[in-house]
Amino acid sequence: MDIKLSQSFIAVDDHDKALAFYRDVLGLEVRNDAGFEGMRWVTVGAPSQPDVDIVLEPPVANPNASPADKQAMAELLAKGLLSGVIFRTDDCDATFERIRAAGAEVLQEPIDQPYGVRDCAFRDPSGNLLRFSQPRGQ
C-alpha cells in the first residue's frame, strides 16, 4: 500500500493577501481558486511537487458554524495558535533573506537546530507559523 500526502490546509483571513504572499513571495503556483456559499478556497503548490496541494481556506470552512465558533477561530488565527507548516528548502539563508525582504514578520532567523536542520520562521499575513527547513549537509 502506498499512501502519499495530497492536500494540506492553511486557514487564512484574507485570501488576496495570502495569495500575494504564497504566490508572489514564496513562488508557489496557483492551481485553483473556487468559491462556495460566500467562502473561498485557493489552492497553491510548489511546481516541483505537482501532486501536493496547499489549500488556503477560511478559518471556519463550515457554512453551518455558529458566529461564536467563527469568532473563536478568527481569534486563534490572529494569535498564531493554529497549526504551523514546515517547508523544505535547499538554502535556508537565501530563503530567509527573500522572505524578510518582502516584509514578512520574522519569528526566528536561520539557526542550526540540534535535530539536524538549519531553519528559520515567519508568520504569514494571517498569523500562521511557517518554518523553512534545510537538512544539514545540503
Side-chain angles (χ1 to χ4, degrees):
M1 178 185 327
D2 188 20
I3 297 174
K4 297 179 181 178
L5 177 66
S6 172
Q7 295 177 322
S8 179
F9 293 80
I10 299 174
V12 299
D13 57 4
D14 183 320
H15 280 86
D16 292 328
K17 286 181 183 176
L19 188 55
F21 179 78
Y22 286 93
R23 180 193 59 214
D24 302 338
V25 176
L26 298 188
L28 302 180
E29 62 187 12
V30 177
R31 298 183 178 159
N32 197 11
D33 191 338
F36 179 71
E37 294 193 15
M39 291 181 276
R40 183 178 179 194
W41 289 264
V42 177
T43 305
V44 297
S48 62
Q49 291 182 301
D51 341 349
V52 180
D53 293 327
I54 299 168
V55 181
L56 306 175
E57 68 173 348
V60 177
N62 181 335
N64 300 315
S66 72
D69 288 344
K70 290 179 182 179
Q71 181 62 34
M73 285 299 290
E75 290 172 5
L76 290 172
L77 178 61
K79 292 177 183 178
L81 295 176
L82 300 181
S83 297
V85 177
I86 300 174
F87 290 93
R88 184 178 206 158
T89 179
D90 60 358
D91 189 337
C92 181
D93 295 277
T95 299
F96 174 81
E97 291 303 330
R98 186 178 80 237
I99 297 170
R100 179 174 64 176
E105 179 185 351
V106 175
L107 296 179
Q108 174 201 301
E109 293 192 9
I111 61 170
D112 292 325
Q113 298 287 4
Y115 42 88
V117 300
R118 181 167 181 79
D119 73 356
C120 60
F122 294 88
R123 288 211 189 281
D124 76 1
S126 295
N128 294 297
L129 169 66
L130 304 179
R131 300 189 80 77
F132 297 85
S133 175
Q134 175 186 351
R136 231 179 260 143
Q138 231 188 14

